């Protein structure tokens, strides 16, 4: 749900609740690809969907959660 918020998904909270860092949870390659495509921005504290990512948010989330990609 954090990706649906304006400020994005809190990386620290993800770690607290799952025990995984963002790269472990979603795959480093997946996150870098989404950043390269301008769909997602990783800040030191949050994963933030960019405007084009918010327009495609359901697909973005499905892509991030796809175990076959990571």
């Amino acid at each position: 749900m954090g990706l649906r918020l304006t400020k994005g998904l809190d990386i620290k909270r993800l770690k607290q609740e799952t025990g995984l860092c963002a790269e472990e949870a979603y795959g480093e390659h997946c996150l870098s690809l989404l950043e390269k495509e301008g769909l997602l921005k990783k800040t030191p504290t949050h994963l933030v969907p960019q405007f084009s990512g918010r327009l495609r948010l359901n697909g973005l989330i499905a892509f991030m959660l796809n175990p076959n990609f990571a």
Side-chain angles (χ1 to χ4, degrees), residues 35-59:
E35 279 190 281
K36 180 182 173 189
E37 294 296 321
L39 300 171
L40 187 75
K41 180 179 179 185
K42 183 174 186 248
T43 71
T45 59
H46 288 81
L47 293 177
V48 184
Q50 299 301 288
F51 181 75
S52 59
R54 286 193 308 272
L55 293 176
R56 300 164 180 84
L57 194 55
N58 289 340

Side-chain angles (χ1 to χ4, degrees), residues 24-43:
E24 292 170 324
Y26 303 113
E28 191 171 334
H29 181 68
C30 173
L31 295 178
S32 65
L33 178 63
L34 292 171
E35 279 190 281
K36 180 182 173 189
E37 294 296 321
L39 300 171
L40 187 75
K41 180 179 179 185
K42 183 174 186 248
T43 71

Side-chain angles (χ1 to χ4, degrees), residues 4 15-16 18 21:
R4 297 193 184 278
K15 179 74 170 176
Q16 289 173 340
T18 66
C21 68

Side-chain angles (χ1 to χ4, degrees), residues 9-20 44-46:
L9 177 69
D10 186 327
I11 295 171
K12 184 177 177 182
R13 185 171 179 194
L14 174 70
K15 179 74 170 176
Q16 289 173 340
E17 292 188 13
T18 66
L20 301 172
T45 59
H46 288 81

